[in-house]
Amino acid sequence: MKVLLPTSLPLEMTGTHADVTFVPYDVTLPVPQEHTDAEVLVVWGNTRGQLADSATRLTHLRWIQALAAGPDVIIAAGFAPEVVITSGRSLHDGPVAEHTLGLALTAARRLDLMHDAQRAGRWARELGGVQSAHPSIFPGLGTLDGAEVTVWGFGSIGQRLAPLLTALGARVVGVATTAGTRGSTPVITTDDLPERLAETDLLIGILPATPETEGAISADVLTALPAHAWVINVGRGSTLDEDALDFALRSGTLAGAALDVFRREPLPADSPLWTAPNLIITPHAAGGRPQGAAALIEKNLAAYVAGDPLTNVVAR
Ligand code: OXD
């Protein structure tokens, strides 16, 4: 059995896999003709063109192991429905939680404005010393201590993030498809979201791109937040109404936002978001460094060979 391994990250396969041939491949180029008989494709950072080409030419393919948490790009590539896709869910929990925490701290302390002032050689008197909590004077959350944080999309990343925020004194509520308690975090469904939004200081989106989540962080959601609230999105760009966010920031009905993901990436040079006030932009940088990728591949490979259920199968 031939398994194609991407050269876009170091992958040391340590297990014994009789009858498995690992073939490295370049994720930016069509798979060489002699390897189009591969049964398994491991995907990391492949270009859309490379994936579309693989979907057509790898006619023996049975299983794709994605290393990204969100499999939307692979689903869109058009692989045959019988090809099983497993995702890299959980490989990015630490890095994405870290980046989100960084954005939340930046929103609270406005490190971005302080850095701008430093670059301009200016002592930002308005951001230091005695601080007023009023957003017109200090345009940030001020502190995460005591902040009401709502995390919409409460999967493994959200569950990694919640204790980091609570350690700083934030009160975290998750939003997911079933209510209950995960770890020690209360989780509600979208039925109870309007009430929760009214008391939210910071809304964090970690939603995947699906037809159900399209535009979930809508104009109505933004309007339901208090004017001092901030929004962070590290899920997928399609889950946020960017025009509504731009309007809310410019009209002052939302205090600020930090976005790592966008409907179009790279964010086009003419996007109004570049000049929206109190908007922090990071270039889809939250993940990008899967932790434990080789172990997941090994585990799934052993299960695949044994005919056992695979981990992280993507429903489609
Ligand atoms: C991912 C991402 O899906 O980084 O892993 O966006």
Side-chain angles (χ1 to χ4, degrees):
M1 176 175 65
K2 190 176 281 183
V3 177
L4 296 180
L5 290 181
T7 53
S8 46
L9 83 169
L11 281 171
E12 205 175 315
M13 310 303 288
T14 52
T16 317
H17 305 282
D19 303 328
V20 175
T21 310
F22 292 111
V23 176
Y25 78 101
D26 184 332
V27 298
T28 63
L29 297 174
V31 169
Q33 192 57 33
E34 68 270 29
H35 296 312
T36 52
D37 56 350
E39 192 171 326
V40 182
L41 178 70
V42 179
V43 168
W44 176 242
N46 299 45
T47 58
R48 284 176 195 265
Q50 199 284 339
L51 286 173
D53 180 81
S54 298
T56 317
R57 290 175 54 245
L58 303 193
T59 49
H60 294 69
L61 204 60
R62 292 289 166 271
W63 164 40
I64 298 173
Q65 172 67 63
L67 298 180
D72 41 306
V73 175
I74 295 166
I75 293 173
F79 288 94
E82 61 273 18
V83 178
V84 175
I85 300 176
T86 53
S87 77
R89 183 181 192 273
S90 86
L91 303 183
H92 303 269
D93 295 354
V96 178
E98 235 170 60
H99 192 82
T100 312
L101 182 64
L103 294 177
L105 288 167
T106 303
R109 310 311 304 244
R110 295 312 303 262
L111 302 176
D112 56 322
L113 296 182
M114 293 180 192
H115 189 253
D116 288 350
Q118 177 189 341
R119 285 279 162 251
R122 187 175 72 81
W123 181 266
R125 190 174 298 281
E126 72 283 10
L127 300 173
V130 175
Q131 286 299 314
S132 160
H134 198 276
S136 65
I137 299 172
F138 183 85
L141 280 171
T143 175
L144 293 178
D145 196 7
E148 294 290 344
V149 180
T150 302
V151 181
W152 193 356
F154 204 67
S156 59
I157 295 170
Q159 288 169 52
R160 184 73 169 258
L161 173 66
L164 304 179
L165 292 165
T166 50
L168 294 172
R171 287 190 286 266
V172 181
V173 171
V175 185
T177 43
T178 49
T181 306
R182 316 266 147 81
S184 50
T185 306
V187 175
I188 60 172
T189 67
T190 46
D191 291 345
D192 295 319
L193 190 57
E195 206 176 310
R196 175 65 189 164
L197 289 174
E199 60 189 20
T200 293
D201 300 309
L202 172 60
L203 173 66
I204 298 177
I206 319 184
L207 289 165
T210 65
E212 294 74 38
T213 62
E214 164 65 38
I217 306 174
S218 61
D220 287 349
V221 165
L222 299 176
T223 306
L225 289 165
H228 69 263
W230 275 64
V231 171
I232 291 176
N233 192 20
V234 292
R236 282 289 184 263
S238 63
T239 66
L240 171 79
D241 182 334
E242 290 179 352
D243 291 341
L245 182 88
D246 185 64
F247 178 79
L249 291 172
R250 288 180 197 277
S251 59
T253 56
L254 184 71
L259 304 182
D260 185 55
V261 287
F262 300 86
R263 281 183 179 267
R264 277 186 62 199
E265 295 178 7
L267 183 65
D270 61 356
S271 168
L273 291 178
W274 287 112
T275 56
N278 298 310
L279 177 61
I280 297 161
I281 290 175
T282 59
H284 201 141
R289 32 184 85 66
Q291 308 293 297
L296 176 65
I297 298 167
E298 302 258 23
K299 180 177 164 202
N300 262 346
L301 196 52
Y304 180 81
V305 169
D308 291 338
L310 302 181
T311 298
N312 293 353
V313 173
V314 174
R316 61 180 176 132

